[in-house]
Amino acid sequence: MSYRLVATATLIAAGSVLSVPAVAAAADQDTAFVKTAHQGNLAEIAAGNDAQKHATTACVKAVGSVLVRDHGKLDADLRALAGKLNVELPPSPTAEQQKDLATVQAKAGTPAYDAGWLTVQDAAHVKTLALIDKEISSGGDGDLVAGARAARPVVAAHLEMVRGGTCHHDKEASMIGAGNGGQFAARGNGLNAIGAVGLTGGILVTAGVTVWLARRRPTGFR
């Protein structure tokens, strides 16, 4: 085997090895996103239900209703994707999320409840948008990235309704691309972007080696 062929084969092997960490990192990102986003949805649904019971203003009650509706539908899509990816979802919000709600609940029926609820929701939706943006930029599963991209304007609309701890129910936006119960998971089990690029590159390199070998065959094999 010539030096040229050995070098080519080495490059192919190196490319395959180098792609493994990238794929693994993307898979870890997807898993973390699904779990964290699910807990966020659970927390928003719980907070929304609580606001409808204990808020003192019609605006906060209305925003609470929007959160229950929208995050319920977003979570239906997310759970369908989690099933496709075999990700086991946490059964409840995080301890911190539960503590935040309990702190607000202690002020139930007073104006302080509404102010505290809005402040917590402002911070929570800022975090959720950052989580979504990270998945959009570095997620590996195409369906999951598409789901995050579709959910973003919905979460952004929620943030506008509570931004700065001030209630703005009039800023509610219509649902954009969310809430069809697993619509993203139904797109199929196609290769994700990273896997597709790696596979395509491998095919092209292998084809190149085959052509080169054909051109270099000794005359005795013709």
Side-chain angles (χ1 to χ4, degrees), residues 67 76 100 111 189 191 208-209:
L67 296 191
D100 286 341
N189 296 319
L191 291 171
V209 173

Side-chain angles (χ1 to χ4, degrees), residues 9 43 55 57 121 132 164 173 183 200 221:
T57 63
Q121 291 310 308
I132 288 173
Q183 59 182 320
T200 302
F221 290 97

Side-chain angles (χ1 to χ4, degrees), residues 11-128:
L11 286 174
I12 296 173
S16 299
V17 172
L18 289 174
S19 68
V20 171
V23 172
D28 289 343
Q29 161 64 28
D30 289 341
T31 299
F33 171 76
V34 170
K35 291 182 176 181
T36 304
H38 172 64
Q39 289 184 296
N41 286 331
L42 295 181
E44 301 304 337
I45 293 169
N49 282 324
D50 199 74
Q52 292 176 77
K53 295 177 182 177
H54 299 131
T56 62
T57 63
C59 185
V60 171
K61 288 178 182 289
V63 172
S65 177
V66 171
L67 296 191
V68 173
R69 180 197 69 195
D70 292 0
H71 283 281
K73 292 178 179 179
L74 289 173
D75 204 55
D77 285 339
L78 192 65
R79 282 186 276 110
L81 285 170
K84 190 196 79 168
L85 298 173
N86 295 317
V87 175
E88 184 176 352
L89 296 174
S92 60
T94 66
E96 180 181 0
Q97 290 165 337
Q98 294 180 58
K99 181 180 178 181
D100 286 341
L101 180 57
T103 299
V104 174
Q105 286 175 325
K107 305 169 185 176
T110 71
Y113 174 95
D114 298 54
W117 189 91
L118 289 167
T119 298
V120 169
Q121 291 310 308
D122 183 1
H125 282 83
V126 168
K127 289 181 180 179
T128 299

